[in-house]
Amino acid sequence: MLQLVADGLVVGSVIALGAVGLTLTYSILRFANFGQGEFMTWGAYLAVSALAFVLAVTGGGVMEPLGPFSFGWQLVVAMLLAAALTAALALAVDWLLFRRLRRGNAITLVIASFGAALALRNLVQFLYGTLPEYYTREIQIAVRLVPRDVLGGLRITPDQMLVIGLTLALMLALQLLLTRTTLGRAMRATAMNPALARVAGVDTDAVIRATWVIGAALAAVAGVFAGIVGQIRPMLGFELLLPLFAAAILGGIGSVRGAVAGGYIVGLAESLAVPLVGAEYRAAVAFLVLIGILMIRPAGLFGERA
């Protein structure tokens, strides 16, 4: 039982990071971005390239593990580079595609994002191939935190603990940015009423750029986290796309804390369902939870009531 909860928290951390970017895009740009999952894939693969670059520059060739973790400081640098490059990719997609369609119907933007997702997915497959990639081949020994006679016990690797801890730290930092900074107040004002925010002197174009940067960077970090605790593959973002939407809708579309809560609920639901229905049907259980909660709160857990 405890082991399933821990696995659900790890999966939920990846989903929560991706769902936050999705809900930011929806609340400020007013459309559901189907390309969010592909930003996770690109972030994971760009980190592979950045890691090779950092290792070549430092002359190491081999990444020495950092403390109890399976990776070294080179991957940390590679993740930061990948986040910056993914943010630049998101800005480029917005400039080439979404900026031209922003004054039109929201459905047009949704369809355009679907097309952009297909293009990005096929491009990453063309550039990197279809075989899975790994940041490191180091084998980690899971640490036993709870004895086996207590709810089946709990074993977790240092990498998994780091993923959960860093996700919570990033979400706290984002919450502080949205509530304590000028940029955060401008983003919240634009989300509530773009026209009024523009009249009040808010640079909505800068807010839109910041939204893409934050959402894509968080997606890249989520992709790297998924690669650390699993493997990197071209379908990574596509496989996580429906859980991302489920988490964002479950928490209340447009709510950052709702996206985080929804991500962990979806992750836990999928993990706890594996012994009951098998791994192939775990996503269906998450959607059953989504439907059940929306029947009670149609606006989501943290969404505003109409």
Side-chain angles (χ1 to χ4, degrees):
M1 179 66 176
L2 290 179
Q3 190 64 55
L4 293 174
V5 170
D7 294 340
L9 290 176
V10 174
V11 174
S13 296
V14 175
I15 295 174
L17 283 174
V20 166
L22 185 64
T23 203
L24 281 176
T25 303
Y26 183 87
S27 61
I28 293 176
L29 301 177
R30 300 296 195 278
F31 79 98
N33 179 24
F34 279 85
Q36 183 69 13
E38 304 313 316
F39 289 147
M40 295 175 64
T41 305
W42 271 89
Y45 275 102
L46 286 172
V48 172
S49 297
L51 178 60
F53 172 77
V54 172
L55 288 173
V57 169
T58 57
V62 178
M63 183 169 52
E64 292 294 331
L66 187 64
F69 306 112
S70 65
F71 56 88
W73 63 267
Q74 295 92 340
L75 182 58
V76 178
V77 176
M79 183 175 68
L80 296 176
L81 291 174
L85 291 172
T86 306
L89 174 64
L91 290 175
V93 172
D94 178 60
W95 185 80
L96 291 171
L97 182 63
F98 298 126
R99 180 178 62 91
R100 305 170 186 272
L101 305 174
R102 201 165 289 144
R103 295 183 182 275
N105 194 296
I107 296 298
T108 304
L109 286 167
V110 172
I111 295 174
S113 73
F114 186 75
L118 287 175
L120 290 172
R121 189 182 315 138
N122 283 280
L123 182 58
V124 77
Q125 187 168 320
F126 172 76
L127 293 175
Y128 291 95
T130 58
L131 296 178
E133 297 275 359
Y134 299 89
Y135 295 121
T136 176
R137 299 287 181 172
E138 291 289 332
I139 298 176
Q140 276 199 319
I141 304 299
V143 179
R144 181 170 293 281
L145 299 181
V146 180
R148 183 171 299 181
D149 56 353
V150 179
L151 295 177
L154 171 61
R155 295 176 64 90
I156 191 169
T157 66
D159 285 358
Q160 292 174 325
M161 288 189 283
L162 182 69
V163 165
I164 296 172
L166 283 182
T167 298
L168 295 176
L170 286 172
M171 293 301 98
L172 177 60
L174 179 61
Q175 184 65 23
L176 291 176
L177 182 146
L178 292 175
T179 57
R180 303 292 178 86
T181 67
T182 302
L183 173 61
R185 287 189 288 270
M187 292 176 71
R188 288 187 287 120
T190 304
M192 287 186 288
N193 193 323
L196 186 58
R198 196 176 297 111
V199 171
V202 174
D203 186 350
T204 54
D205 289 335
V207 169
I208 290 173
R209 290 193 295 270
T211 301
W212 282 116
V213 168
I214 294 172
L218 289 177
V221 173
V224 174
F225 283 173
I228 289 175
V229 298
Q231 59 181 205
I232 309 154
R233 55 196 184 280
M235 298 298 288
L236 171 66
F238 178 74
E239 292 169 358
L240 288 173
L241 184 61
L242 289 180
L244 294 186
F245 273 97
I249 296 171
L250 177 60
I253 193 72
S255 170
V256 172
R257 60 176 180 166
V260 176
Y264 281 111
I265 291 174
V266 169
L268 287 170
E270 288 188 356
S271 180
L272 293 173
V274 170
L276 301 176
V277 300
E280 61 272 22
Y281 297 112
R282 56 188 298 174
V285 174
F287 280 93
L288 289 177
V289 173
L290 169 64
I291 294 170
I293 291 180
L294 290 183
M295 290 179 65
I296 302 171
R297 286 187 60 89
L301 294 176
F302 294 92
E304 296 182 359
R305 294 181 182 273

